Amino acid sequence: MASIFTRIIQGEIPCYKVAEDDNYFAFLDINPLRQGHTLVVPKQEIDYLFDLDDETLAGMVLFAKKVAGKIREKFPCRKVAMVVLGLEVAHAHIHLIPIDEEGDADFRREKLACSPEEFAETARMLRE
């Protein structure tokens, strides 16, 4: 059975898409820590990030770098954290989170409550 991320990539489940190319897909996290919190995934469904072949992993990081640049441009912050964690979805993914302090990337903190309109506007800004 396809992962939820594969179903998002295939358009079976809606998302707030930020960027896409032939190999990678970026969309907003629906439980964001900060505005602009984005997930980057390979289109190839592999559970563990370090099981990706070297070329795919390197390409994913370069794709994430472009998305992170857009996040930093649109949501001023000191840095964009790149976090790899998560056991709940069996599909390699990277979290990109705009941060001003390390606690901004603490997944134990309360998540933002965003409306569909806020998500849509954030995604639009990151696609510009």
Side-chain angles (χ1 to χ4, degrees), residues 47-91:
D47 178 17
Y48 181 49
L49 186 76
F50 295 119
D51 284 340
L52 294 169
D53 64 78
D54 292 350
E55 184 179 335
T56 302
L57 178 58
M60 185 174 171
V61 172
L62 292 173
F63 181 84
K65 181 180 179 181
K66 291 177 190 173
V67 175
K70 201 55 117 160
I71 292 169
R72 195 169 189 198
E73 173 189 326
K74 299 297 181 174
F75 301 100
C77 55
R78 288 181 58 199
K79 294 185 178 183
V80 175
M82 183 171 86
V83 179
V84 177
L85 85 125
L87 299 172
E88 65 281 351
V89 179
H91 193 132

Side-chain angles (χ1 to χ4, degrees), residues 26-46:
F27 56 99
L28 296 180
D29 190 309
I30 60 167
N31 294 301
L33 293 173
R34 302 264 319 250
Q35 187 178 16
H37 181 167
T38 301
L39 296 173
V40 173
V41 301
K43 289 185 175 179
Q44 177 185 17
E45 187 175 312
I46 300 282

Side-chain angles (χ1 to χ4, degrees), residues 14-33:
C15 73
Y16 299 97
K17 182 167 66 169
V18 170
E20 178 180 17
D21 70 11
D22 291 341
N23 299 305
Y24 309 100
F25 197 90
F27 56 99
L28 296 180
D29 190 309
I30 60 167
N31 294 301
L33 293 173

